[in-house]
Structure formats: C-alpha cells, structure tokens
Amino acid sequence: MRVAVKNALAIAGVAALAGVAFALWTHYRAVDLSEALSRQETGSRLRIAAESYYAHRDLPESASLDDASAPAPLVAAVRAGSLATYVDADAADPAVWAGTEVGGHVLTVHDPYTEQARLLAQLDQALVLGVVALLLVSGALAVFIGQRLARRIGAASATALRIADGELAARVGNTIAGAGRDEVTALGGAVDAMAAELRARLEAERRVTADIAHELRTPVTGLVTAAELLPPGRPSELVRDRVSRLRGLIEDVLEVARLETDGEQGARERIGADLLAERAVAAAEKPVRLEVAEPAEVDTDPRRVQRILVNLLRNAHRHGRPPVVLSVRGATLTVADHGPGFPADLLADGPRRFRTGRAERGGGHGLGLTIAVGQARVIGAELRFGTAESGGARADLVLG
C-alpha cells in the first residue's frame, strides 16, 4: 500500500474516532440536560398538584390519580415510597412524567416531550452530518499531504536509483528542493553525501588505474620491441605472445578508464545493422556463423559497435563453445554460444572488472564485457546478458 493511501487512512481514521467520540458526548450531554430540565419542571408541577390535593382535595387539570396510562416503572417507583420522574421518549407521544403517593393513591403529572425529542433528533442529524463532513475534509487533506509526501519520496527514490545505475552526478536534494527541513530532506542529504563520497572514491580509483596503465605503457612498449629482436624459436614465440597479451591488457585498462569518465561521445552515422555485423565477424578473426533475419538501418557509431561485437565474439570463443552465432533482427544484434552460459552473478549484477565468473568459463582478465557495456552506454545502446536456447551465453545489443 502506498504511503499516501496509508496516511489518508490513518488521518481519516483518527478524525473519524475523534468525530464519533465528540458526537456521542454531545448527544448524551444534550439528552441529559433536556431530561433534567423537563424533570425539574414537571416535578415542580407535581408538588403544586400535591399541595392542592392536601389543601382542597382538588387537582389541577393536568394531574390525575391512579392514571392507567402512567408508565409502569414510574408507578413501581412511587409505590416504593419515593417521588419519581420518568421520561417516556420512545412512546408514540413522548412525555415527561412525575408521580408521588397521596392518601394511598398514585398522583401523577405529565408534560409533552415531543418538542424536546424533535430538537434532539435534529441535533443527532446535525452531528452525523458534521462527522461525515469531518471525514471528507480530513480525508481530502490527508490525501493531499500524503501525495505531497509520496511525490517527494518517489522523486528521492528515483534519484537514488539513478545514482545506483552509475549517474553519480545526480542529487536527491535537487529533486526535493524547497520542501522544508524534515526527515525526507535529511534522508536526501545523507544520500547525496554518500553519492559524493562514492563518486570521489571511484574517481580516485579510476585515476590510479589510468596512471598505472600509463606508467606501464612505456616499459611494455620496450618489451614488445625487445621481444621482436629475439631469435626465432618456441621460447621467443611464448615471450612475444605474453608481451602482446600484457600490452592488450594495458590498452583495455586505459579504455575502461576512459569509458568511466563523462567525456566520451559517439560519432553517429546511418548504417545497416547487417553491415555492422559483417564488419565485426571479419574483425573477430574467429569462425562465426552470421544470420541476418531482419536487416535494418540504425543511427549509431560504427566503430564503437564493432568494438562491442568483437569483444562479445571473442568472449564467446574464449569462454564458450562453438558454434558462435551472430544474428541480426532489426536493430538488435545477438551473440550466442553453446558453452556453459554466463554465471548467475553476472546475469544479476552485470560484468565486473577483472572478474571472469566461474572456472568452467576459462581464464582471462575480465575486461572485455566491461568495455562492451561502457561502449554501449556511450552510444546510447542497451546491452543485455542472458541465456541462449542452447543453454549457452547470450548477449543482445539493442541499438537506438
């Protein structure tokens, strides 16, 4: 249940309880006052009638002896030896009775209670209408306050999700600005402070990584040159292979560092998705089965798309099993293999640097998929990882 609805129900419930309690108190208080005044007036007339009876054996017109219509509770109270009053508000003709015993008879006096009953009924209607109006007003006010709070919390939540997705420049305080100082504002400030600290740490990490890669570039270039001077033979080939892989790793680290900055931008042009796939297959230099189901033209950066697809194809060859298939369906290019598939943590959280997943997918430094995700983000494409029908790994590149 949403916060706005909960707040509305809570405030309306409290208002309802308060309104009903006040209405009941007002009702019973009005009944008590009305009956007390009527009993007092009728009792005074009874005393006058009793004095007239004892003095002149005469009764006023409104008094009677042993009236058969007198309420039974009143007669019983009088027979018990007391002066009694009784309000018969539920009768067809509401009346207030007073009675006392004179000479072995029950002397009673009664006055109409119709007007008082009518006024009390009108008061009850007014109280009911007041409670209903209170519920409507308090409910509307509660919905307004709850929706305002819910909008602020929703805006803060959306901004927090943007931060979690990597948009570390987003700030919760900007989305709830001018809303006053309260717990939501304090929470937004805490999230903003966390985002700023996280951004600073990631920036520091990126700078350190880039600096290390830059520092390694010069000696590795020297190693490549020296390896080329080695005499032919198996040991020389092994050295050249390892040096080449080391140079590739350094270049990948530098590319990751560049992609993590906000300065990278794609150079867009209109091109066929099938042509992009053909170029990637040629650049991969590995056996790939190309399937074009629905050719389409896309507006994207061909160089970065090729980089993404080549990394996906090489990853499929390195960690999966053949056949590796690159299929084109509209603006979606899919790379699938027949290996063990992506690990569960990669499917849940995406690729991470220097992490290749489970052991059965082989070795590697784990930067290929990270670079692919970074390049896709630069060109505004979506890269999704899943499981192919064959059970192997599947990566869908959806171009904008």
Side-chain angles (χ1 to χ4, degrees), residues 26-104:
T26 303
H27 168 79
Y28 288 115
R29 183 61 177 165
V31 170
D32 290 342
L33 289 174
S34 177
E35 290 185 356
L37 291 174
S38 298
R39 289 174 189 270
Q40 183 179 0
E41 183 179 350
T42 306
S44 298
R45 296 182 61 246
L46 176 67
R47 284 190 291 273
I48 294 174
E51 292 174 358
S52 176
Y53 178 82
Y54 281 120
H56 309 290
R57 289 290 190 262
D58 189 22
L59 293 174
E61 184 178 351
S62 60
S64 60
L65 292 175
D66 300 326
D67 190 345
S69 62
L74 174 70
V75 175
V78 171
R79 292 298 186 187
S82 63
L83 188 150
T85 59
Y86 181 80
V87 179
D88 193 4
D90 297 328
D93 294 321
V96 181
W97 293 78
T100 187
E101 189 172 7
V102 291

Side-chain angles (χ1 to χ4, degrees), residues 7 27 74 161 209 219 261 322 350 358 370 375 392 395:
N7 285 347
H27 168 79
L74 174 70
L161 290 176
T209 303
T261 65
R358 52 183 176 231
T370 305
Q375 294 286 11

Side-chain angles (χ1 to χ4, degrees), residues 208-375:
V208 169
T209 303
D211 291 344
I212 293 175
H214 275 295
E215 292 297 326
L216 289 175
R217 221 173 184 181
T218 300
V220 168
T221 302
L223 284 176
V224 172
T225 303
E228 294 297 331
L229 299 177
L230 292 175
R234 182 60 181 167
S236 299
E237 291 178 2
L238 291 175
V239 170
R240 282 193 289 269
D241 177 69
R242 295 306 172 184
V243 170
S244 176
R245 293 192 63 180
L246 179 59
R247 183 173 62 177
L249 172 59
I250 292 174
E251 294 299 329
D252 286 348
V253 171
L254 287 172
E255 185 173 359
V256 169
R258 288 195 305 270
L259 291 172
E260 289 179 346
T261 65
D262 298 330
E264 289 287 296
Q265 294 182 350
R268 293 180 173 273
E269 66 176 79
R270 197 73 176 170
I271 189 172
D274 53 339
L275 180 57
L276 292 173
E278 291 174 3
R279 291 179 180 180
V281 170
E285 298 177 349
K286 297 285 186 178
V288 177
R289 189 171 72 203
L290 177 61
E291 298 177 353
V292 180
E294 297 177 11
E297 286 194 348
V298 292
D299 186 15
T300 188
D301 186 332
R303 182 182 65 83
R304 294 183 186 273
V305 171
Q306 179 175 319
R307 177 67 166 148
I308 296 170
L309 293 176
V310 168
N311 277 16
L312 294 176
L313 293 172
R314 289 176 177 173
N315 182 81
H317 278 286
R318 181 180 297 118
H319 303 297
R321 287 195 296 269
V324 175
V325 181
L326 172 57
S327 59
V328 180
R329 186 175 296 275
T332 302
L333 294 89
T334 301
V335 175
D337 62 52
H338 291 68
F342 290 120
D345 58 344
L346 186 146
L347 295 177
D349 304 323
R352 303 179 190 177
R353 290 183 294 174
F354 305 109
R355 184 169 180 178
T356 58
R358 52 183 176 231
E360 61 266 29
R361 286 190 63 83
H365 47 73
L367 290 179
L369 295 182
T370 305
I371 292 173
V373 171
Q375 294 286 11

Side-chain angles (χ1 to χ4, degrees), residues 30-180:
V31 170
D32 290 342
L33 289 174
S34 177
E35 290 185 356
L37 291 174
S38 298
R39 289 174 189 270
Q40 183 179 0
E41 183 179 350
T42 306
S44 298
R45 296 182 61 246
L46 176 67
R47 284 190 291 273
I48 294 174
E51 292 174 358
S52 176
Y53 178 82
Y54 281 120
H56 309 290
R57 289 290 190 262
D58 189 22
L59 293 174
E61 184 178 351
S62 60
S64 60
L65 292 175
D66 300 326
D67 190 345
S69 62
L74 174 70
V75 175
V78 171
R79 292 298 186 187
S82 63
L83 188 150
T85 59
Y86 181 80
V87 179
D88 193 4
D90 297 328
D93 294 321
V96 181
W97 293 78
T100 187
E101 189 172 7
V102 291
H105 298 282
V106 175
L107 174 63
T108 57
V109 175
H110 69 279
D111 293 322
Y113 194 70
T114 305
E115 184 64 19
Q116 293 90 327
R118 185 181 67 82
L119 292 176
L120 288 174
Q122 291 179 347
L123 175 63
D124 289 344
Q125 291 178 356
L127 290 174
V128 170
L129 292 176
V131 170
V132 172
L134 177 63
L135 283 175
L136 293 177
V137 173
S138 61
L141 180 62
V143 169
F144 172 75
I145 296 175
Q147 286 182 342
R148 186 168 179 267
L149 177 62
R151 281 196 298 268
R152 295 176 61 205
I153 295 177
S157 176
T159 305
L161 290 176
R162 287 165 54 197
I163 294 173
D165 288 338
E167 192 177 339
L168 299 180
R171 291 294 179 265
V172 175
N174 297 333
T175 62
I176 57 175

